Each structure stands twice: as structure tokens, then as C-alpha cells.
Amino acid sequence: MSHNMDNHQIDAHLGIQTHHLIEQEFGDHFWHYHRTESTDYHVLDHLFREFEFSDTDQLVDMGSGTGRVLIYSAYKLKIPVVGVEFIPAAFNIAQRNILAFNEKMGQQYPITILNQPVEEYQISSRDTVFYFFNPFQLVIMRPVIYRIMQSEAAFPRKITLIYYYPLDSCIQFIEEKTDFQLKKTILLPGNQQDSREKIVIYQNNF
């Protein structure tokens, strides 16, 4: 696929629709979740060029929205992917997209999606890469990272955190309160105008 294709064209190629923007009417408790918004395909292309995934990796998209990262990662990287999405409307669209994608490709890609809060996701010993796109405030990020660290202690393995459009508070938490080390910063087009237009990648010392 050429880099000139836009999000809608790539969606069409994959047989899916992921350009929905879902504004969730949350109760008071959920002000710290962000709206559902898909990562641009060009951002994922940058990531896939700049970071080498292993064929033994399993990617977890924390706040997987309508399924774009899941489907594109499964398609491009040929690894199993898991999505965790709290908003029912986004989860339902993602389920439809996964079915449509598998049908269009004529095969069953290893894509799993769960409708639950990310901080309740039971981390598997197979989960090695965690993807975050500005998904929520530190109040949600913190317990998720602690769960990842508990899983790492129970099942020692290399773990990678990939964080697109990061919040400073979350970066500060990862760098000051965890053993994860910054491995790579991928500056994206537009970074000079918006310093958060980047991907930061952290790994444990395994």
C-alpha cells in the first residue's frame, strides 16, 4: 500500500470502517477517559518501520476503539493482537470490523477483543507489547502499568510499552516510578508544531 493512501482508502482496502469518532457520555467517574479516536495509519507505518517486532510478540491495544490498530497490526506484523475497549459502541463496531476484515482477506487473523475497562484486563503471560494512544489520564494509566509490572514479575519476559501522543504526567510516572527505560522516540510529521506528535517506546531490562 502506498504512503499516499489516506485513512479512508486503507480502511476500504482492509474492508473496514474505523474513522468513527465516538464521544461517550460518561458518568462523573469517567471524566478521565478520552473520546474514541483512531490512530492515523501513517503513524502506524512510522512505528512499523522504526521498531522491530518479534514474531513471538503479542500486542495489546489498551483502549482499542473501533479496531484500527488491532487489524492493521495483525495484517502488517502477522502477530496475535488483543484489544481492550470499554465503550460498548466502539467495541461493537470493532467486532464488525474484525469479521469484515477476516472475510475480505479470506482467513482468520488472531485478533481478540474484550469489552471491559483497561485497568481490569487480566494480563496474559503471552502479552509482550502494550500500545497506548493518549487513552486516559494517569489515574487509569497507573494501575494498568502496575498490572503489567506484576505480570512481568510473575512471568519474566521482555515487555515493550508503545505510547503515541503521550501525556507528560504519564511519561513522568513511567520514568520515575517504574523500571521501564526509554528505548526510542519517534518524532512524527507535525512534531515542530505539536511536541506531543511522537511515539515513545519503553522497555524493561530483560
Side-chain angles (χ1 to χ4, degrees):
M1 286 185 278
S2 90
H3 297 306
N4 299 327
M5 290 175 78
D6 68 14
N7 290 325
H8 288 269
Q9 289 171 308
I10 298 173
D11 263 8
H13 176 82
L14 299 173
I16 62 179
Q17 289 189 319
T18 58
H19 38 264
H20 308 265
L21 189 61
I22 297 168
E23 298 278 5
Q24 179 72 357
E25 292 300 317
F26 287 123
D28 293 343
H29 174 62
F30 297 113
W31 59 268
H32 38 255
Y33 276 83
H34 292 202
R35 66 186 184 181
T36 297
E37 194 172 354
S38 297
T39 303
D40 274 353
Y41 283 111
H42 80 82
V43 170
L44 296 173
D45 284 333
H46 273 279
L47 172 63
F48 298 161
R49 279 199 301 275
E50 300 262 347
F51 178 74
E52 197 162 331
F53 290 80
S54 157
D55 56 8
T56 57
D57 278 333
Q58 178 157 291
L59 182 146
V60 182
D61 183 5
M62 290 293 194
S64 52
T66 55
R68 178 181 292 173
V69 170
L70 291 178
I71 290 165
Y72 202 51
S73 299
Y75 177 69
K76 288 287 222 180
L77 303 174
K78 310 288 190 273
I79 60 172
V81 295
V82 178
V84 187
E85 177 51 53
F86 175 65
I87 300 172
F91 172 78
N92 292 337
I93 293 167
Q95 279 192 310
R96 289 201 298 274
N97 279 331
I98 292 163
L99 287 170
F101 167 68
N102 283 332
E103 195 170 309
K104 175 137 195 201
M105 297 301 153
Q107 67 182 93
Q108 292 294 311
Y109 280 80
I111 304 171
T112 306
I113 186 166
L114 303 165
N115 184 198
Q116 64 182 129
V118 291
E119 63 271 34
E120 291 177 14
Y121 172 64
Q122 296 292 327
I123 293 166
S124 159
S125 59
R126 295 185 299 278
D127 297 336
T128 56
V129 180
F130 295 86
Y131 179 84
F132 303 88
F133 166 29
N134 183 25
F136 15 64
Q137 308 284 352
L138 182 57
V139 66
I140 300 286
M141 188 88 160
R142 190 187 287 117
V144 171
I145 300 286
Y146 281 142
R147 280 202 162 210
I148 292 169
M149 289 165 67
Q150 286 167 345
S151 173
E152 173 200 0
F155 303 98
R157 62 199 188 278
K158 180 175 274 305
I159 292 180
T160 304
L161 309 178
I162 297 173
Y163 192 5
Y164 167 49
Y165 206 74
L167 281 173
D168 290 344
S169 57
C170 293
I171 291 296
Q172 189 177 355
F173 165 72
I174 292 169
E175 294 189 349
E176 293 179 5
K177 305 289 189 204
T178 80
D179 294 332
F180 287 97
Q181 310 275 315
L182 180 64
K183 291 296 175 191
K184 190 166 199 133
T185 301
I186 303 170
L187 299 181
L188 298 164
N191 180 264
Q192 282 144 326
Q193 291 76 37
D194 182 351
S195 62
R196 286 173 65 192
E197 198 57 62
K198 64 186 176 185
I199 299 169
V200 288
I201 299 176
Y202 289 86
Q203 285 179 330
N204 59 346
N205 290 316
F206 178 71

